[in-house]
Amino acid sequence: MPVLQQPQKPSPIHTQDTSMSCQCPRIPLSPMRPAPEKVSMLFKLYCLVVMTVVAATYIVVLRYTRTVSTDKYFSTTAVFLTEVVKLIISLGMLSWEVGGLRCMASTVLEEVIYKRKETLKLCVPSLVYALQNNMAFVALSNLDAAVYQVTYQLKIPCTAMCSVLMLGRSLSYMQWFSIFLLCGGVSFVQWKPLESTAVHIVQNPLIGMVATAVAVLCSGFAGVYFEKVLKSSSTSLWIRNIQMYLWGILMTFGGVVVNDGFAILQEGFLFGYTPLVCLVILLASMGGLYTSVVVKYTDNIMKSFSAASAIVLSTLASMYLFELHLSYIFVAGTTMVCISIYLYGLPKLENKNDSSKQEPKKMPVSV
Ligand code: C5P
């Protein structure tokens, strides 16, 4: 697997540096808190399955709240509140990592507030993710959930392209082929015949498609950018997340003011909120946090492959549980996913002209 080229800077969180004002233990010392790099395969599998199932449920529930519920809530407020929830959970996880609230507060001060340059790096993916998350609402207000799920799979080749351009990874022709095969396979597996659900709003499929295209580009770019920042130092994942969500809160609040400011003044911030809308926020938060954990332990391309396998497995499980029949399209999709995983893992050809034989390029952009 390609390795990032940037030097590993020691992080205060992982060293016993006592020069700082906080005297809290800088590494997780308790056996209850193993070093994050030493997680088991089972834990990775668990994160992947949860990430995938949460993402699929999120799409269906979001679509329902935008099209079937009567009072339409302000979607920008839901995106904003998701960032708030993710920040709170990340602060909680950091407390657990450093051993208490006081240590967490001083770590945040040291790592987030004082290291402004480091925090500034996360401004870019946070802005792009803010756009992506708002686009998901626009797309699902105008497109059927299955259509969105299928077209959104274009994020797989987009992520691969960003990994090549931004991380200097090299992919052989066979790996490129397997990535497109995977994209097609996942689309087939997720395809469901269009159901005529009662939709209470006017939809514009063109707007939905444009929003999906923007979300695809944002997903590829922001995912790889975050991976690059995360892996260019040994700074804790939770600190990186806190840095990003602080920006996220700022950016998404900008979205609330610009897009719905006047209407919110009249109707109220939580206008149209129901338990289902709260569920959308919860699912979006969980999905985002699990995504960050998966990217930490694998990479964005592996995340796509593993998520595809999780989609196949969870669809198979639900077919077994609900006694549904396998459709031809599902079998074709599953076969494509399996072949793509096999092809991606094949050793690269020993060819002089094969670009994959070359040393990985240095990362062109330093963050
Ligand atoms: O579809 P995709 O995998 O690109 O979705 C990523 C989602 O995970 C986005 O909603 C993004 O806001 C979220 N995320 C997060 N924290 C990270 C990385 C991504 O909440 N560190």
Side-chain angles (χ1 to χ4, degrees):
M1 193 179 301
V3 201
L4 297 178
Q5 301 294 304
Q6 290 209 341
Q8 297 281 304
K9 284 178 246 157
S11 153
I13 284 295
H14 295 95
T15 62
Q16 295 285 353
D17 184 2
T18 50
S19 61
M20 296 184 179
S21 52
C22 172
Q23 298 302 311
C24 309
R26 295 284 158 178
I27 39 171
L29 295 172
S30 147
M32 291 291 290
R33 298 170 197 158
E37 283 69 23
K38 289 180 185 159
V39 295
S40 66
M41 193 65 203
L42 202 68
F43 176 75
K44 289 185 195 178
L45 199 71
Y46 156 78
C47 291
L48 268 162
V49 171
V50 176
M51 180 191 81
T52 310
V53 172
V54 164
T57 319
Y58 166 72
I59 289 174
V60 175
V61 183
L62 194 162
R63 165 79 180 164
Y64 183 87
T65 60
R66 296 308 284 171
T67 52
V68 180
S69 306
T70 39
D71 282 337
K72 241 171 104 189
Y73 59 97
F74 299 109
S75 61
T76 50
T77 61
V79 176
F80 166 76
L81 288 176
T82 301
E83 296 300 308
V84 175
V85 172
K86 288 190 292 190
L87 177 67
I88 294 169
I89 297 176
S90 298
L91 288 171
M93 292 304 293
L94 184 64
S95 307
W96 182 75
E97 198 172 72
V98 297
L101 282 177
R102 255 194 50 210
C103 292
M104 179 272 283
S106 54
T107 307
V108 169
L109 211 66
E110 301 268 0
E111 297 291 318
V112 182
I113 311 293
Y114 293 161
K115 293 191 181 169
R116 269 178 244 152
K117 217 177 129 196
E118 286 297 305
T119 304
L120 204 63
K121 287 178 186 173
L122 274 300
C123 167
V124 178
S126 121
L127 175 67
V128 180
Y129 271 139
L131 181 62
Q132 176 191 338
N133 293 333
N134 278 293
M135 285 301 119
F137 278 86
V138 177
L140 282 161
S141 302
N142 290 286
L143 289 179
D144 182 83
V147 175
Y148 172 78
Q149 231 158 1
V150 167
T151 43
Y152 190 52
Q153 294 313 320
L154 283 171
K155 73 176 179 175
I156 299 174
C158 183
T159 301
M161 178 62 82
C162 289
S163 294
V164 168
L165 295 178
M166 293 164 64
L167 298 178
R169 288 197 174 135
S170 67
L171 294 174
S172 62
Y173 290 126
M174 186 58 91
Q175 284 178 320
W176 273 115
F177 174 71
S178 68
I179 282 167
F180 280 100
L181 194 67
L182 179 78
C183 177
V186 183
S187 305
F188 277 10
V189 168
Q190 292 194 315
W191 181 253
K192 288 176 200 73
L194 290 180
E195 289 155 9
S196 48
T197 44
V199 168
H200 298 159
I201 57 155
V202 181
Q203 299 184 100
N204 186 333
L206 182 66
I207 292 181
M209 279 296 174
V210 172
T212 310
V214 175
V216 161
L217 295 174
C218 290
S219 168
F221 175 78
V224 173
Y225 193 108
F226 181 78
E227 181 185 341
K228 182 170 170 147
V229 176
L230 182 68
K231 293 180 179 171
S232 64
S233 78
S234 53
T235 304
S236 151
L237 168 69
W238 302 110
I239 290 180
R240 287 304 188 196
N241 274 348
I242 291 166
Q243 290 170 329
M244 188 159 79
Y245 301 148
L246 279 172
W247 284 114
I249 288 176
L250 221 78
M251 310 279 182
T252 53
F253 189 72
V256 172
V257 174
V258 171
N259 216 41
D260 299 315
F262 285 116
I264 286 175
L265 281 180
Q266 286 166 359
E267 311 270 13
F269 194 84
L270 298 180
F271 170 78
Y273 269 60
T274 60
L276 270 185
V277 180
C278 299
L279 181 64
V280 168
I281 294 172
L282 193 73
L283 288 170
S285 311
M286 276 177 67
L289 292 168
Y290 274 99
T291 299
S292 69
V293 176
V294 168
V295 168
K296 178 176 170 62
Y297 296 122
T298 60
D299 63 55
N300 274 290
I301 300 181
M302 291 307 286
K303 173 186 147 227
S304 306
F305 276 93
S306 325
S309 322
I311 289 170
V312 170
L313 289 178
S314 53
T315 313
L316 273 175
S318 63
M319 282 179 170
Y320 176 74
L321 287 175
F322 303 113
E323 294 180 7
L324 302 174
H325 294 291
L326 287 181
S327 65
Y328 286 117
I329 199 149
F330 176 81
V331 175
T334 302
T335 312
M336 285 163 78
V337 168
C338 293
I339 296 175
S340 73
I341 292 171
Y342 171 74
L343 293 179
Y344 189 82
L346 279 182
K348 294 173 183 176
L349 287 175
E350 298 274 333
N351 183 346
K352 223 169 95 183
N353 298 325
D354 185 359
S355 61
S356 63
K357 277 285 288 171
Q358 295 163 9
E359 282 290 301
K361 282 173 254 159
K362 294 259 188 258
M363 282 193 270
V365 191
S366 110
V367 286

